[in-house]
Amino acid sequence: MNLYPNLKRGVLLSVLFFVVLLSNASTSTSSSSSVSLEAITIKPRHLSLLKSALQRASGEQSDLWKPMTDQGWSPCIDLEDSPSALPDTTKGYIQVFLDGGLNQQRMGICDAVAVAKILNATLVIPFLEINPVWQDSSSFVDIFDVDHFIDALKDDVRVVKELPEEYSWSTREYYAAAVRETRVKTAPVHASAQWYIENVSPLLHSYGIAAISPFSHRLSFDHLPGEIQRLRCKVNFQALRFVPHITSLGDALVSRLRNPLWRSDKERKSVDHLGDMTNPNSRHEPGKFAVLHLRFDKDMAAHSACDFGGGKAEKLALAKYRQMIWQGRVLNSQFTDEELRSQGRCPLTPEEMGLLLAAFGFDNNTRLYLASHKVYGGEARISALRQVFPRMEDKRSLASSEERARIKGKASLLAALDYYVSMHSDVFISASPGNMHNALVGHRTFENLKTIRPNMALIGQLFLNKSITWVDFQQALGEGHVNRQGQIRLRKPKQSIYTYPAPDCMCHV
C-alpha cells in the first residue's frame, strides 16, 4: 500500500502513457529506428519441424488421454486429530491488502486465513488492489463465492464480510493518508508464525485490529504446524470457489469442448448455435480436450531478453521497452540467447508449443483450449499453432459476446474462467512457469489429474539444434517427459505448498 497515492498515480499514468505510445502500430510519426513491437514481422522459426508436424499422421497415441493411475496419495485436509472447536473469543480483526494477479492474490488469501488462525483473530474478507497493468478493479466478491468461503471455513476461522461500525475507519484510504499505528508494513517475506505472534498480536491486544500491507508471500512454507498447512490447502482447494456466473459459463465451455459435433453446429449460424450442448436427445460420446496455458505477453517477451525471430528491429524494440519499464535492470540481459535457451529461461512461443504438443502425439483433430490473455504478436504469432491444431478454441470462439459481457475487460475474471476450464480438462500443459502454472500444477496434483510439465532446459536445447529431425525431436521429448505428466513430487524446504501439496495436505495410503 502506497502512503503517497497521488505520486504513485502520476508515475503509473506516465508509464502507461508511454506503454501505449510504444504499442501503437502507426509509424507515421516514428523514425525508421523506432519500430513498434506490434509492427515486427513474425515468421516461423522452426520451418523443418513445422513442416513435419503438419504432415504427421492422424491418430493419437492411445495413452495420451488415459487418466492418472492411483499413485498411493489422497487428499487429507480434515484429520480426526485436528483441533475441533474455535475458541470462544477472538483476539481482534485482521485486514490484508493483496496486490498482483488472480493467482498471486489467491495464495495471499490462503495465507491470510492461516495468519488469522495462528493469531486466533477474525479475518475480514481480503481487499484486492487494482493491478496497475491490467487495471482490473474486481473485488473478492466479484471473483469468489463469498458465502461459500465463509461457510467452508466456519469451523476453522471466523471470517466477516466487513468490519463492525466501531472499526469502520480502518480503510485503504485511511492507511494511504498517513502513517498509522494499526498498520503492519514490515512483515518479512516468508515470515514465521512466531513473527506474527510477536509483532501483530500486540496490536490486536492494544487496538483490536491490525492491517497488514504488503502481504504477498508473507508467510513461510516451513516450520508450521500441520494443522496450519492443511488449512492453507483447505482454503485453496475447497473454500475458494468462483462465483456462479463464472462456473456456469465454464461448464458451458467445457461441454462445448467435449461435444465432437459442436463445430458443425456452430457453422449453422442458427439463433441458438452457442447453446449448451447437453441436449439429452443428442447421443454421442463426450470427447476429450487439452488446455494450453500460453503466457506470452509483451512484458514476458521483453523481460526474458530472448530472441524471438523478429531480427534487429525486434531486438531494439524489446530493449527499448525493457529500459522504459525496468530501466534496463533485467538480469537475463547479460546472457546470450543461446545461453538463455540452453538453461530453459526463454518462454516458449505459440509455434514451439504447437510443435511440442504434436511431438507428444496430439494430432490435428485434438480439441485444444487456449488459455491466455493478450499474446505478444497477436494472431500472427498464433498462426503456426493454429495450423498445427486447427480445432483450437478460446473464450471468444466458444462463447458469445453476450455470454462474455460480464467478464469483458476484467483480467481477473477472464483468468478465473481459464482456471476453471483448465481444472476440468483431460490434459493441461503450460508454456512457461508462473503463478497460473504453479497454481494449476498444485491443484491438479491434489486432484490426481494429468498435467504435463515442460522440461524447459531440454526443450530449449532441442530448438537450438537446427538440424534435428522430427523423429529425433519426438524421441528426445518423449524420453525427457516420462516422469513429468502429473506424478506426485514431494515438497522440499522453501517450496510452495500450493504447487507441491504432498506430503503436507496429502496422505500416503
Side-chain angles (χ1 to χ4, degrees):
M1 188 185 301
N2 195 336
L3 299 180
Y4 306 96
N6 292 329
L7 175 61
K8 178 180 180 181
R9 187 178 298 111
V11 172
L12 286 175
L13 286 174
S14 298
V15 171
L16 290 172
F17 173 75
F18 285 112
V19 171
V20 170
L21 283 180
L22 184 64
S23 63
N24 192 329
S26 173
T27 58
S28 60
T29 60
S30 301
S31 67
S32 59
S33 61
S34 178
V35 181
S36 82
L37 289 172
E38 278 70 14
I40 303 297
T41 301
I42 298 171
K43 299 178 181 179
R45 300 197 68 196
H46 312 284
L47 281 172
S48 177
L49 292 177
L50 182 59
K51 181 178 179 181
S52 298
L54 293 172
Q55 294 175 345
R56 71 194 188 283
S58 298
E60 298 168 325
Q61 297 177 10
S62 59
D63 59 347
L64 276 176
W65 300 107
K66 285 183 178 178
M68 297 296 296
T69 57
D70 184 356
Q71 300 186 65
W73 290 85
S74 63
C76 55
I77 291 176
D78 295 310
L79 297 182
E80 294 181 0
D81 61 351
S82 296
S84 53
L86 282 170
D88 293 333
T89 59
T90 177
K91 297 292 181 62
Y93 294 92
I94 291 289
Q95 287 178 291
V96 296
F97 299 83
L98 302 173
D99 54 16
L102 173 68
N103 292 293
Q104 182 173 320
Q105 290 173 336
R106 183 186 186 106
M107 291 182 284
I109 293 167
C110 300
D111 288 348
V113 172
V115 168
K117 181 71 172 180
I118 291 168
L119 300 176
N120 183 27
T122 298
L123 177 68
V124 184
I125 289 296
F127 182 91
L128 308 185
E129 299 279 9
I130 297 177
N131 189 295
V133 176
W134 308 122
Q135 291 294 299
D136 185 354
S137 60
S138 298
S139 66
F140 185 104
V141 299
D142 295 324
I143 304 169
F144 301 107
D145 186 333
V146 66
D147 292 323
H148 172 77
F149 181 79
I150 294 173
D151 183 67
L153 298 173
K154 66 180 185 297
D155 296 327
D156 303 287
V157 174
R158 293 179 179 86
V159 183
V160 296
K161 295 180 182 179
E162 56 187 25
L163 287 166
E165 183 64 28
E166 63 182 299
Y167 294 108
S168 60
W169 48 265
S170 185
T171 64
R172 186 191 187 283
E173 291 71 26
Y174 172 78
Y175 293 107
V179 176
R180 308 294 187 181
E181 292 182 330
T182 52
R183 179 186 170 190
V184 179
K185 61 179 181 180
T186 57
V189 174
H190 299 153
S192 66
Q194 190 61 33
W195 188 93
Y196 284 97
I197 293 171
E198 293 175 356
N199 293 274
V200 181
S201 285
L203 292 181
L204 295 176
H205 179 75
S206 299
Y207 304 101
I209 189 170
I212 309 174
S213 175
F215 188 70
S216 296
H217 310 294
R218 289 312 196 270
L219 183 61
S220 173
F221 290 117
D222 302 314
H223 310 300
L224 291 173
E227 174 195 10
I228 297 299
Q229 298 287 60
R230 291 191 293 274
L231 178 58
R232 296 166 97 175
C233 290
K234 182 175 183 178
V235 180
N236 195 29
F237 303 134
Q238 294 182 1
L240 284 175
R241 186 167 70 186
F242 295 124
V243 291
H245 76 87
I246 291 292
T247 59
S248 61
L249 179 55
D251 286 335
L253 267 67
V254 170
S255 177
R256 294 163 194 172
L257 285 163
R258 293 203 181 283
N259 190 327
L261 303 179
W262 184 78
R263 180 171 287 278
S264 59
D265 286 337
K266 173 179 159 184
E267 292 169 350
R268 293 184 321 189
K269 297 184 179 180
S270 60
V271 175
D272 62 345
H273 71 289
L274 283 172
D276 192 351
M277 297 297 165
T278 55
N279 185 344
N281 297 319
S282 179
R283 302 298 181 187
H284 51 261
E285 184 178 350
K288 297 183 182 297
F289 74 97
V291 168
L292 165 60
H293 173 239
L294 185 62
R295 188 186 174 199
F296 194 74
D297 53 41
K298 186 192 302 182
D299 277 13
M300 170 165 275
H303 197 270
S304 72
C306 299
D307 180 4
F308 299 107
K312 183 178 180 180
E314 182 180 59
K315 290 181 181 179
L316 290 173
L318 288 175
K320 182 178 180 180
Y321 187 78
R322 277 194 298 275
Q323 182 63 36
M324 182 176 60
I325 302 300
W326 300 288
Q327 292 73 51
R329 296 191 298 269
V330 176
L331 179 63
N332 282 5
S333 299
Q334 57 189 294
F335 299 100
T336 66
D337 179 73
E338 183 174 345
E339 289 172 331
L340 292 171
R341 291 189 181 280
S342 63
Q343 296 170 25
R345 295 167 68 173
C346 291
L348 298 175
T349 66
E351 175 194 0
E352 289 168 342
M353 285 308 303
L355 296 174
L356 194 68
L357 290 169
F360 281 141
F362 294 97
D363 67 15
N364 59 8
N365 288 316
T366 298
R367 296 307 295 270
L368 184 66
Y369 177 83
L370 182 63
S372 68
H373 191 57
K374 188 175 182 180
V375 174
Y376 160 56
E379 186 58 36
R381 182 75 69 179
I382 298 174
S383 61
L385 172 62
R386 199 179 299 281
Q387 279 183 280
V388 180
F389 293 99
R391 299 190 71 193
M392 184 174 71
E393 308 282 358
D394 58 21
K395 293 179 286 289
R396 292 181 61 86
S397 66
L398 286 171
S400 67
S401 57
E402 292 79 10
E403 288 175 308
R404 289 183 280 110
R406 295 183 68 177
I407 62 175
K408 184 178 180 180
K410 298 180 179 180
S412 292
L413 295 181
L414 292 167
L417 181 60
D418 281 342
Y419 190 106
Y420 186 84
V421 174
S422 297
M423 279 303 300
H424 288 77
S425 67
D426 299 283
V427 181
F428 173 82
I429 185 171
S430 181
S432 60
N435 288 330
M436 181 80 156
H437 164 92
N438 293 338
L440 279 163
V441 165
H443 203 159
R444 289 178 66 90
T445 296
F446 189 75
E447 301 288 349
N448 198 35
L449 300 173
K450 182 168 283 189
T451 307
I452 300 175
R453 296 182 298 106
N455 185 332
M456 299 295 287
L458 169 65
I459 294 167
Q461 293 164 19
L462 292 177
F463 281 128
L464 283 172
N465 182 356
K466 299 303 180 183
S467 62
I468 192 170
T469 66
W470 180 251
V471 172
D472 289 341
F473 183 69
Q474 278 186 302
Q475 182 178 347
L477 279 178
E479 293 174 352
H481 289 82
V482 171
N483 296 314
R484 302 179 69 91
Q485 301 186 34
Q487 290 84 354
I488 294 286
R489 293 177 298 157
L490 301 185
R491 189 179 71 85
K492 299 176 182 178
K494 297 184 179 181
Q495 288 184 330
S496 170
I497 196 172
Y498 307 121
T499 307
Y500 305 93
D504 303 85
C505 304
M506 302 182 75
C507 296
H508 195 217
V509 295

